Amino acid sequence: MRRPGVTAVLAAAALFAAGCSSDSDGRPFERRTSGSPRASSPHSGSPSPTRPAAPERGSAKVVRTVATGIESPWGLAPLPEGDLLVSSRDSGKIFRVAADSGKTTEVGSVPGVSPGGEGGLLGLAVPPDFATSRMVYAYFTTASDNRVARMLYDPERPAGDQLGAPDTIFRGIPKGTVHNGGRIAFGPDKMLYVGTGEGGDRGLAQDKKSFGGKILRMTPDGEPVHGNPDADSVVYSYGHRNVQGLAWDRDKRLWASEFGQDTWDELNVIEPNGNYGWPEAEGKAGEDGLVDPVEQWKPAEASPSGIAYAKGSIWMAGLRGERLWRVPLRGKEPVAEPQSFLEGKYGRLRTVVATDDGGLWLTTSNTDGRGDPDKQDDRILRVEIS
C-alpha cells in the first residue's frame, strides 16, 4: 500500500518459480501484438514526419574508467552539478562519484534494505526540481516488499551521514528471490515511473490489482496521476515479467527493456494500458490484445537491464550477453538490425545512462558471484558514441 491515507492493494510476495531465469541469465518470453487498449498520454509523443532516422551503423568506445571499488553497483543518477549518485545493491549504501576525477564518497545507507537474490538497493532517481528540493528517490527490497522512498540529501553533512530519514512514498510491490524489477526514472511529464517484476509469481503480471509485473506511473508523492488508464491506480502498463530499463526518446515515447524466460528478451514501446503478454506470450507473437516488442533477443545475447536514449538510438546494457546493444530508430521503428559493442570486454553490464554531452555512463555487474571471476572488479565507465 502507499503511505497512510492512500488506499492501495498489497500484493503478495512470491518465491522463485521453477524454470524461470534470474536477471543473471536473462531468459526471454514471447508476446503478442496489436489490439491493446490505448489511453491518452500527456507525454507520449508522435514522431515528427521530418524527423531524420538514426544512421544504420554507429560506434561505442570506452574512453575511461571513471571509478572502481563500489560493491554490486545497480542504480545510477546523474546530479545537475555533473557528478553521479550510485547505489550498491548488496550493501544498501549510496555513493557520490565525481565525474571528472572519479573520487568516490559514501553518502549514506538506506535503512530497511534487505538484500538477497536479485533484491536489495536498486534504482535511484533525482527529480527535476532537485536543485531546490535536494531529494533522492530509491527503489529497494525490504523484508516484506519492494518500495520507493525519498530522502533529503545534504552534501554539507559529514560523509556517510548525508541522507535524511526515508519518507516511503509507495510500498506493496511484490518481492521475490528473483524478478524484483527496480528501475525508477522521472519522465518528461515530471512524474515518477517505476519498473517492477512479478517476484516469480507469474499470475501477478496480468492482475491489475497487483503492483507486480507492471510499469507504474505516480506523482513525486506516490499518488496516481491524472491521465493514467485508471484514475485511481498507479498501474500504467501490465503483463510484464521483469522490467529493469526505462528511457524516453526525443518524441517523449517511453521505452522499456524486459527479461524473458526461455525464449526472448524484449525492447518495448510502452502504451498506456498496454498488455505486454506475460505469462501467455514471450517475444513477437502477433496476437490481438497484446503488444509485440519492437526488438527481441535470445537470452544468451542480452538479459537486458538498463537502457538509455542517445543520438537517435536506444542503448541497452546486457547482463548475460555481456555487451552493449544499439537499436537505431526512426520514430518507433528500427532502421537496421541491432548492433552490439564491448562484447565480453567488461563482463556483465547493468546500467546505462545518457550524459549531457551525448555520451553514456555504463556500469558493470560482476561482483555478485555470477560473473567471470577474472572480472570481479565492478566499475563505472564513460562511453563515447556516434
Side-chain angles (χ1 to χ4, degrees):
M1 57 184 173
R2 293 189 296 274
R3 60 183 185 170
V6 181
T7 302
V9 177
L10 180 62
L15 298 176
F16 181 84
C20 76
S21 68
S22 70
D23 74 359
S24 62
D25 38 38
R27 310 210 161 186
F29 50 128
E30 277 188 70
R31 287 186 177 162
R32 318 171 182 180
T33 187
S34 73
S36 39
R38 297 172 184 256
S40 62
S41 172
H43 58 279
S44 54
S46 302
S48 167
T50 59
R51 184 79 75 191
E56 291 187 5
R57 307 294 292 174
S59 66
K61 178 183 178 181
V62 173
V63 292
R64 63 189 175 99
T65 294
V66 179
T68 60
I70 297 177
E71 178 187 1
S72 56
W74 209 102
L76 186 152
L79 296 173
E81 302 91 351
D83 289 350
L84 310 171
L85 291 180
V86 181
S87 65
S88 168
R89 183 189 66 185
D90 297 334
S91 72
K93 296 178 180 179
I94 296 177
F95 297 87
R96 180 168 181 153
V97 177
D100 52 359
S101 67
K103 179 182 177 181
T104 301
T105 305
E106 182 181 335
V107 169
S109 297
V110 180
V113 172
S114 179
E118 295 171 9
L121 179 57
L122 304 177
L124 295 179
V126 296
D129 68 349
F130 175 80
T132 54
S133 72
R134 309 303 293 183
M135 286 292 177
V136 174
Y137 286 69
Y139 181 112
F140 59 97
T141 310
T142 73
S144 60
D145 65 357
N146 288 296
R147 61 185 61 177
V148 180
R150 58 187 174 189
M151 297 154 285
L152 183 65
Y153 171 44
D154 183 359
E156 301 302 318
R157 293 183 59 83
D161 190 30
Q162 297 174 348
L163 293 177
D167 170 23
T168 298
I169 65 162
F170 198 87
R171 67 183 73 207
I173 300 168
K175 63 166 286 188
T177 304
V178 294
H179 310 171
N180 289 289
R183 196 67 62 183
I184 58 175
F186 282 90
D189 57 354
K190 302 182 180 179
M191 298 296 108
L192 182 64
Y193 292 74
V194 179
T196 77
E198 27 80 314
D201 185 345
R202 297 154 59 105
L204 297 182
Q206 292 292 323
D207 180 359
K208 289 189 178 181
K209 293 182 179 180
S210 169
F211 302 130
K214 308 295 188 297
I215 292 176
L216 311 177
R217 177 179 180 238
M218 62 187 71
T219 71
D221 296 324
E223 305 288 346
V225 182
H226 176 73
N228 278 3
D230 183 338
D232 296 323
S233 173
V234 297
V235 172
Y236 193 65
S237 63
Y238 65 105
H240 298 288
R241 185 170 180 266
N242 192 20
V243 175
Q244 288 190 6
L246 299 171
W248 288 264
D249 64 24
R250 57 190 166 191
D251 291 312
K252 302 181 181 179
R253 280 178 294 258
L254 174 59
W255 294 76
S257 63
E258 185 165 343
F259 290 94
Q261 178 169 308
D262 297 312
T263 314
W264 298 111
D265 291 325
E266 301 181 5
L267 176 66
N268 290 293
V269 175
I270 302 302
E271 304 172 0
N273 206 34
N275 182 354
Y276 288 79
W278 182 252
E280 289 84 10
E282 190 175 334
K284 297 179 180 180
E287 297 188 16
D288 288 343
L290 303 180
V291 184
D292 269 359
V294 173
E295 287 288 0
Q296 61 186 23
W297 293 261
K298 291 295 184 181
E301 299 176 339
S303 301
S305 188
I307 61 172
Y309 178 83
K311 295 190 175 178
S313 300
I314 292 289
W315 301 81
M316 186 179 83
L319 289 164
R320 183 180 172 190
E322 296 191 355
R323 68 197 78 178
L324 178 68
W325 285 100
R326 171 184 180 263
V327 181
L329 300 171
R330 177 189 285 113
K332 60 181 181 180
E333 299 297 328
V335 298
E337 291 295 315
Q339 191 179 2
S340 68
F341 303 94
L342 311 179
E343 184 174 345
K345 291 185 178 180
Y346 297 94
R348 294 154 41 87
L349 305 181
R350 169 70 67 183
T351 296
V352 56
V353 175
T355 65
D356 289 340
D357 59 358
L360 301 172
W361 303 111
L362 184 64
T363 71
T364 69
S365 189
N366 297 309
T367 53
D368 57 0
R370 294 177 296 200
D372 184 334
D374 294 329
K375 297 171 181 171
Q376 303 292 309
D377 57 348
D378 277 330
R379 57 189 66 192
I380 300 170
L381 305 169
R382 181 67 162 78
V383 183
E384 185 178 89
I385 62 172
S386 68

